[in-house]
Amino acid sequence: MDTMINVWTMVEQVRVASGAAELAIFTAVLYWFFTSSRVADMLELVGERLGGWCGRESGSLQQAMRAHRRHQVADMYNKLDADIATRTASLYRVKEGPVVPAPQPQTRAPQGLACARCAPNSRDSWQDPSVKDTGSVINILDIGRQRYANGGVVSRYLCDVAQCCNLYNYDYKDVVPIVEKEEVFQRAIEEKTQEDLSKVNEEVGSGDNTKAINYNTVRQKVEAHARKVLQDISSAMSTNVLRLVAWVCHKAVVRVAGGGCGTRAACVERLRRANAAGLPLIFVPLHRSHFDYILVTFTLYLTGLRPPLVAAGDNMRIPFFGWFLRGCGAFYIRRRVDGSEYNSDPIYKVALRSYILNSLAANNNLEFFIEGGRTRTGKPQPPKAGILSVIMDAYLDGTIDDALLVPVTLNYDKLVDGNFVREQLGMPKQMETFWSALRGIWRTLNTNHGSIRVDFNQPISLKELVTSFQKFNHYKTPIDMAPSPPNNNLAVNLDKQILYNHSHSSLYGADVTMDHKMMVEAIGRHLVYDAAHATALMCTNVVSYVLLTEQRGGCGWRQLVAAVESRGEALRNAGRDLGYTGDTAVCLKHALDMLGRGLVRREGGQKQTVKPLLSIPASLELSYYANAVVAHYAAPAILATALESVISQPDADKDVIRHSSLVEASLQLCEVLSQEFILCAPCTRIEEKLLDALDELIAADVLYNIQPTDVLEEERWSRRFARRLEEEDGDAPEDPTLHIKYKISNKPEAIAERRRLIMTIRPLLEAYATTCRCLSDGPQKEFVKRTLDTLTQQHAHNKMSYGEAVSTDAIRNCMKLLRQWGVIDMYAEGKERKIKICSPYDNEQSLYDVCSNVYKFNVDTPLLTM
């Protein structure tokens, strides 16, 4: 019974389903029947026939339908005729009216050009004169997407993989076997063997058999050590690893840099033209982050250029990641070549020099960070001339005919490595390990760092630079010892003195003259200056600078927008490249988001106020971003500070200042801050740079000429000409600028400009003054800690309002200055470095007299309390 019920139930369900299907089919047929044009015509014809049989007028329905259709077509053609008439009338109005140009994309001033004084031929080379450099920036992350936009389905959706798989396969020659057979390398092994053998003989005793046995044993041991040193240095560049890392890096940069990774299109085109010359390219980046190692290689590889061998510190030789870096072209160098027993290995020096020279001879491109390590302050650092001296030797001894030096700049909206606050506060640097690298990568991949810029300057011929610097006389015939102030003639000796004090390197070859060392130092400083001047300034740089100088006490949102827009416009007019575009309010919001709540506080609703957090850690981190702009304003800031120091003297005129007094005080301050800034290229006198900055202050109405401008320009020209004659003849005529005076403006705008410039370098002067006051004999670590504690206490008690002055870098740079002045001596006692105050400065009065050359610039001025 149950079975029958189930069967009937199933049959009923089938009937219902079939009925529903029939109903759906019938409904579809009816819809087609009544909506089809042919069926409609048929129905119309049947209706007309029926109407005729019934006595009605034939054709009325059909005529009505046709008339309706004719009206629709007529309306359509009338609308088309009206559109044509409108366009024709518009064309006539355009022809008869004024010509309105089409909107053009925003252009930037050309950046990264070679020095017109030192390298005029390089400046005119490597670029197509028919193509105008608009400063356009390309996003290297879009190269593959654009290349495979019209490809197949697979290449369109996997454009990154397709691009990395189709990158050019470069051949990198292994130069290790060549180095092992070199005579200089074998001579170093033999010298080390004889040195170790003499030590063994002293311990074991003398005897012919003993010496023979010991020689073979020691020789084998030294050879094994030499092979290990060479293998540790050498790179293992692999195209497969490069392609893999390029794909991984592409995905990582897309995640890390929400604003993309940009580079100037003209830079890439210049590099391609220079690469065709067949000379090795030497890339010289300024160092900001560990990400720099891969980012430069990644940019070059994606743009179709040969990736270079990269000199990396041996602290990056960590498990797994070190292997990847070596596969990307890294060769590892020790952070210190001289000093300890480990770092004074003569075989290592020879192996490193030979490896670099043979790599250049094999036409490999090379990359090294000329500052040595990452900048802890955000300012460009003085160059470390070690590897540059090796390249110079390769050119002078004929190993290479020439090389093209390419300064490289990198900048980030938000630094990938975090910050250097711990190290600035005196804590030891944390060494890189496998787990720290993993934590850093994980933290980086989960943080938006905004935009990244990687820019390449114009390639500069090393041969042309050497030829040009041999013609300049202002850095030759070095002085034996930098005289302590105020006895030194800075107008004559300052440029020469700066080069002389920095021209030292552990990689210089034997019998190197001081002129050669100073030339290497001059070229290195020129490369750093060129790279720093071409660095793209990100929105975080400009906003941080404005907050620390112009709006340190906080301000309203509209006021901050106006200040940032004004500062950006001033930088753009000065020829600087801004790494951001668009509405200023949007850029400001983006910069504040990048800086974060730990550095900047935003309060209020519509009337929002913005205030920088001025704790010591926050001030240090803000100053890191601001220092990129501080370096740009260093010269006018020195002039404004020197102006304040002169007019603050008890009997000084507060409204008028002499030209000679202002320039003399500015030169003294340039010497004090010589460790902090590279004010100008070595081919330019520092005094010339100050005169240009003085013209800027006059143009900004901070100072007024008391006498006519044409006379002033003539006298300035005569003074510069007299300086050049002095270098040749030794007899200088009377300085024609002794009687020039300037009136100091008291307008609110001029006072605000002076205050901004003074606050630009005021934290450095606070740190220098406190370092001089804390000076005493003892261990260097204890002295640095005592100075940091003093600065911290002053900041806590509101005696010093600049948290960014609590910096170990500023303290160490002041120590270097005092050492150059002969005030202190630094020596090693065991593993500890100590400081000793030299005679005659070991008494309190003499020490105060020499340190007063720092104190007088850290003057209390009413401008800072406004």
Side-chain angles (χ1 to χ4, degrees):
M1 189 65 183
D2 294 336
T3 304
M4 293 297 296
I5 292 174
N6 293 335
V7 170
W8 282 111
T9 302
M10 185 179 301
V11 170
E12 188 67 23
Q13 291 176 352
V14 171
R15 282 177 51 195
V16 172
S18 62
E22 291 175 358
L23 180 63
I25 294 172
F26 181 72
T27 303
V29 171
L30 287 178
Y31 177 79
W32 173 83
F33 185 81
F34 284 103
T35 57
S36 176
S37 59
R38 292 184 179 180
V39 175
D41 293 341
M42 183 184 68
L43 290 176
E44 182 183 358
L45 181 60
V46 172
E48 289 179 358
R49 295 290 174 88
L50 289 175
W53 292 340
C54 296
R56 295 167 52 186
E57 294 183 2
S58 63
S60 60
L61 182 60
Q62 185 178 12
Q63 290 175 359
M65 292 294 294
R66 289 177 180 175
H68 177 69
R69 290 181 181 178
R70 284 196 300 270
H71 285 305
Q72 287 182 338
V73 174
D75 290 343
M76 181 180 66
Y77 280 109
N78 290 335
K79 185 177 181 180
L80 290 176
D81 291 340
D83 291 342
I84 293 173
T86 301
R87 288 198 300 270
T88 304
S90 300
L91 290 175
Y92 280 123
R93 285 197 300 271
V94 169
K95 291 180 179 179
E96 295 173 357
V99 178
V100 179
Q104 298 295 324
Q106 184 177 0
T107 60
R108 294 179 172 87
Q111 296 291 329
L113 298 180
C115 177
R117 181 177 296 186
C118 299
N121 294 331
S122 297
R123 188 182 180 92
D124 296 335
S125 304
W126 326 124
Q127 56 186 349
D128 188 356
S130 61
V131 178
K132 182 181 179 181
D133 182 8
T134 60
S136 60
V137 177
I138 59 174
N139 187 356
I140 62 173
L141 301 178
D142 294 336
I143 294 177
R145 195 176 307 161
Q146 295 170 357
R147 180 178 180 184
Y148 296 99
N150 298 323
V153 176
V154 176
S155 61
R156 287 203 306 271
Y157 285 96
L158 299 176
C159 55
D160 302 337
V161 178
Q163 182 191 17
C164 294
C165 291
N166 290 303
L167 291 173
Y168 191 80
N169 187 7
Y170 294 98
D171 181 25
Y172 291 91
K173 184 179 180 181
D174 185 11
V175 299
V176 171
I178 301 176
V179 175
E180 290 179 343
K181 298 177 182 179
E182 272 198 339
E183 180 182 355
V184 62
F185 187 69
Q186 293 296 326
R187 190 186 310 124
I189 293 176
E190 180 63 26
E191 292 175 357
K192 180 65 174 175
T193 302
Q194 294 296 336
E195 180 182 349
D196 292 351
L197 184 61
S198 62
K199 295 179 181 179
V200 172
N201 288 335
E202 291 177 0
E203 297 175 357
V204 178
S206 60
D208 295 338
N209 295 332
T210 305
K211 286 185 178 180
I213 295 173
N214 286 339
Y215 176 82
N216 294 330
T217 304
V218 173
R219 175 78 182 191
Q220 292 176 0
K221 184 178 178 180
V222 172
E223 287 179 347
H225 169 70
R227 284 193 296 270
K228 184 178 184 306
V229 166
L230 192 55
Q231 290 296 333
D232 289 343
I233 292 174
S234 61
S235 170
M237 179 78 84
S238 169
T239 303
N240 293 328
V241 175
L242 274 175
R243 289 173 176 171
L244 174 62
V245 172
W247 178 77
V248 173
C249 192
H250 196 289
K251 295 301 181 184
V253 174
V254 169
R255 186 178 178 88
V256 168
C261 181
T263 186
R264 289 190 290 266
C267 299
V268 177
E269 185 60 31
R270 289 196 298 251
L271 285 179
R272 287 173 180 165
R273 296 172 69 90
N275 189 55
L279 296 173
L281 297 175
I282 312 296
F283 296 96
V284 189
L286 300 184
H287 200 5
R288 290 184 176 272
S289 165
H290 284 317
F291 203 32
D292 299 345
Y293 289 106
I294 294 180
L295 204 53
V296 175
T297 299
F298 174 63
T299 304
L300 291 171
Y301 202 26
L302 288 188
T303 52
L305 295 164
R306 182 185 181 93
L309 302 180
V310 185
D314 58 355
N315 60 314
M316 297 302 298
R317 192 169 54 193
I318 54 181
F320 185 72
F321 299 104
W323 177 83
F324 264 105
L325 288 178
R326 192 186 292 273
C328 292
F331 65 95
Y332 295 105
I333 61 176
R334 297 176 186 173
R335 304 303 298 268
R336 295 178 181 270
V337 179
D338 289 329
S340 65
E341 182 179 356
Y342 169 75
N343 292 322
S344 59
D345 186 359
I347 291 181
Y348 174 78
K349 284 179 71 172
V350 173
L352 179 59
R353 288 174 58 87
S354 298
Y355 183 81
I356 294 175
L357 293 179
N358 283 279
S359 297
L360 292 174
N363 208 31
N364 287 326
N365 295 336
L366 190 68
E367 175 189 340
F368 70 95
F369 296 97
I370 195 167
E371 297 170 293
R374 294 170 294 165
T375 172
R376 264 62 178 173
T377 62
K379 299 192 303 290
Q381 303 298 301
K384 302 292 190 299
I387 296 181
L388 183 60
S389 68
V390 176
I391 298 171
M392 180 79 78
D393 291 341
Y395 163 69
L396 294 177
D397 63 17
T399 303
I400 56 175
D401 295 332
D402 195 2
L404 299 178
L405 302 174
V406 184
V408 184
T409 64
L410 300 99
N411 206 356
Y412 307 83
D413 270 345
K414 185 175 184 179
L415 190 63
V416 175
D417 290 346
N419 57 60
F420 299 100
V421 172
R422 293 183 70 260
E423 297 177 37
Q424 290 298 310
L425 294 178
M427 300 179 188
K429 177 182 179 294
Q430 293 181 337
M431 295 303 297
E432 291 79 5
T433 63
F434 176 77
W435 296 112
S436 67
L438 277 182
R439 287 193 299 268
I441 291 174
W442 178 258
R443 183 172 56 251
T444 299
L445 292 177
N446 288 279
T447 306
N448 180 18
H449 293 80
S451 301
I452 300 176
R453 282 289 297 271
V454 183
D455 295 314
F456 304 89
N457 282 21
Q458 197 170 20
I460 307 171
S461 168
L462 175 62
K463 180 179 180 180
E464 186 177 16
L465 279 179
V466 171
T467 304
S468 297
F469 272 96
Q470 287 174 346
K471 298 178 181 178
F472 294 114
N473 296 319
H474 63 265
Y475 69 91
K476 292 185 178 180
T477 59
I479 50 182
D480 295 333
M481 179 62 69
S484 60
N487 301 322
N488 48 350
N489 186 1
L490 294 178
V492 177
N493 290 331
L494 182 57
D495 303 272
K496 178 173 54 178
Q497 179 177 310
I498 289 175
L499 292 180
Y500 175 77
N501 290 329
H502 289 85
S503 58
H504 54 83
S505 170
S506 56
L507 287 179
Y508 282 122
D511 301 328
V512 176
T513 63
M514 182 54 68
D515 284 346
H516 176 80
K517 291 182 179 182
M518 293 180 69
M519 181 185 297
V520 175
E521 178 69 24
I523 292 176
R525 294 177 75 85
H526 207 312
L527 295 175
V528 173
Y529 175 80
D530 290 345
H533 190 69
T535 300
L537 299 176
M538 314 303 283
C539 56
T540 48
N541 301 131
V542 179
V543 172
S544 298
Y545 176 79
V546 170
L547 288 174
L548 288 180
T549 56
E550 301 179 42
Q551 306 295 341
R552 194 177 183 92
C555 62
W557 175 261
R558 292 184 178 179
Q559 187 178 359
L560 183 58
V561 169
V564 171
E565 184 174 8
S566 174
R567 187 54 43 210
E569 188 65 23
L571 289 167
R572 189 181 292 110
N573 293 336
R576 294 304 300 265
D577 182 13
L578 298 184
Y580 61 94
T581 56
D583 183 66
T584 305
V586 176
C587 295
L588 175 59
K589 183 179 182 303
H590 172 72
L592 296 179
D593 291 339
M594 289 291 102
L595 294 173
R597 296 180 180 178
L599 302 182
V600 182
R601 179 182 300 165
R602 286 179 277 183
E603 299 175 347
Q606 295 181 349
K607 295 182 179 180
Q608 189 180 35
T609 60
V610 182
K611 184 177 181 179
L613 298 179
L614 299 179
S615 64
I616 292 176
S619 298
L620 284 171
E621 190 169 355
L622 274 176
S623 68
Y624 181 94
Y625 294 102
N627 279 338
V629 184
V630 168
H632 173 80
Y633 285 114
I638 286 173
L639 270 171
T641 305
L643 169 66
E644 207 65 27
S645 69
V646 173
I647 64 176
S648 297
Q649 299 299 322
D651 300 330
D653 191 343
K654 308 298 182 182
D655 297 323
V656 177
I657 187 171
R658 289 183 176 273
H659 175 90
S660 56
S661 301
L662 178 58
V663 172
E664 182 180 357
S666 300
L667 288 172
Q668 292 176 6
L669 185 52
C670 287
E671 183 189 22
V672 171
L673 299 178
S674 60
Q675 300 287 339
E676 301 289 343
F677 303 107
I678 300 178
L679 294 176
C680 59
C683 58
T684 304
R685 300 291 296 268
I686 292 180
E687 191 174 1
E688 294 180 26
K689 179 68 175 181
L690 292 177
L691 292 178
D692 293 337
L694 182 58
D695 293 338
E696 295 176 9
L697 293 182
I698 295 174
D701 294 335
V702 175
L703 299 174
Y704 293 106
N705 294 320
I706 294 181
Q707 63 184 43
T709 305
D710 53 350
V711 178
L712 179 64
E713 291 296 331
E714 183 179 354
E715 290 184 349
R716 284 185 181 174
W717 177 87
S718 64
R719 183 180 185 187
R720 296 178 187 178
F721 183 71
R723 292 294 181 196
R724 295 196 180 105
L725 291 178
E726 179 185 357
E727 295 175 1
E728 299 178 0
D729 302 335
D731 296 328
E734 182 183 359
D735 191 351
T737 61
L738 289 176
H739 307 292
I740 298 177
K741 296 181 181 180
Y742 304 108
K743 181 176 177 56
I744 303 171
S745 174
N746 290 320
K747 293 181 179 179
E749 298 83 0
I751 293 176
E753 181 71 4
R754 285 166 56 193
R755 181 177 182 272
R756 176 185 71 84
L757 293 174
I758 290 172
M759 293 185 67
T760 298
I761 60 174
R762 181 70 178 199
L764 290 172
L765 296 175
E766 293 279 4
Y768 274 50
T770 305
T771 302
C772 292
R773 293 190 189 100
C774 295
L775 199 61
S776 63
D777 295 341
Q780 178 179 328
K781 282 187 178 180
E782 293 183 7
F783 168 69
V784 173
K785 184 178 182 303
R786 184 170 61 254
T787 307
L788 285 173
D789 292 342
T790 303
L791 286 167
T792 304
Q793 292 175 6
Q794 291 178 353
H795 183 267
H797 293 90
N798 293 325
K799 296 180 180 179
M800 189 270 297
S801 58
Y802 306 97
E804 59 269 36
V806 188
S807 167
T808 56
D809 270 58
I811 296 171
R812 295 181 188 277
N813 287 338
C814 183
M815 291 165 56
K816 293 178 183 177
L817 175 70
L818 295 175
R819 187 180 184 183
Q820 292 173 8
W821 283 352
V823 176
I824 63 173
D825 184 26
M826 302 172 64
Y827 62 96
E829 189 174 286
K831 294 184 178 180
E832 190 176 38
R833 292 185 64 83
K834 291 191 173 183
I835 300 174
K836 176 178 174 53
I837 301 178
C838 301
S839 178
Y841 307 108
D842 48 3
N843 63 81
E844 185 176 351
Q845 184 59 42
S846 299
L847 184 61
Y848 179 83
D849 291 341
V850 70
C851 291
S852 62
N853 293 278
V854 177
Y855 300 149
K856 67 182 180 182
F857 296 110
N858 195 40
V859 64
D860 291 331
T861 170
L863 293 180
L864 298 177
T865 59
M866 295 176 62

